[in-house]
Amino acid sequence: MKLTLVTGLTGLVLLATIVELLRRRQLREKYGMLWLGLLFVVIPLSLFPRLLDGVANTLGVASGVSLVLFLGIVFLLLVCIHLSWEVSTLEEETRTLAEEFALLRADVEAERTDRAALADRATTVSPDG
């Protein structure tokens, strides 16, 4: 009974935390929905742990705890893969932006050099010709 209560309260605290992070816009909606979906599965299962044993028996798993551990590992693996994909995408975008910035900087420097050369020519050529 104590574990059920602790698990349920932990789920509710996490739910409140996720909602607050979403409200403050410190967590993007796509990740917030992922965690909220997970919590809407975890909270009822924490309050009614025998449901998990029924699901485990249906799937042919020895116990509900084994099923939770397996699903937790699969979930974390999927989150890691998704975050790795996001980081790879951001690295590519950063590289592209750095290259574009370098080209723009080179254009600005070339423009400054051309203007300086024109100014030098204007000062060296006298108006009397």
Side-chain angles (χ1 to χ4, degrees), residues 13-107:
V13 168
L14 287 173
L15 178 65
T17 302
I18 296 299
V19 168
E20 184 63 19
L21 289 173
L22 286 169
R23 188 184 70 78
R24 292 183 181 186
R25 298 191 184 276
Q26 293 178 341
L27 181 66
R28 289 185 54 192
E29 289 83 6
K30 70 179 181 178
Y31 299 117
M33 293 303 119
L34 173 74
W35 293 113
L36 288 176
L38 180 69
L39 287 172
F40 282 125
V41 170
V42 168
I43 291 172
L45 287 176
S46 70
L47 298 176
F48 306 105
R50 296 291 173 225
L51 288 174
L52 189 58
D53 290 333
V55 172
N57 286 336
T58 304
L59 295 174
V61 178
S63 71
V65 175
S66 298
L67 181 62
V68 167
L69 289 174
F70 173 73
L71 293 177
I73 290 170
V74 168
F75 177 76
L76 291 176
L77 180 64
L78 291 174
V79 168
C80 286
I81 290 170
H82 175 73
L83 291 177
S84 296
W85 174 74
E86 290 272 346
V87 167
S88 297
T89 303
L90 290 173
E91 284 179 358
E92 182 65 26
E93 287 179 16
T94 302
R95 186 187 60 75
T96 302
L97 287 172
E99 289 172 356
E100 289 176 1
F101 181 74
L103 290 173
L104 288 172
R105 179 179 280 173
D107 287 346

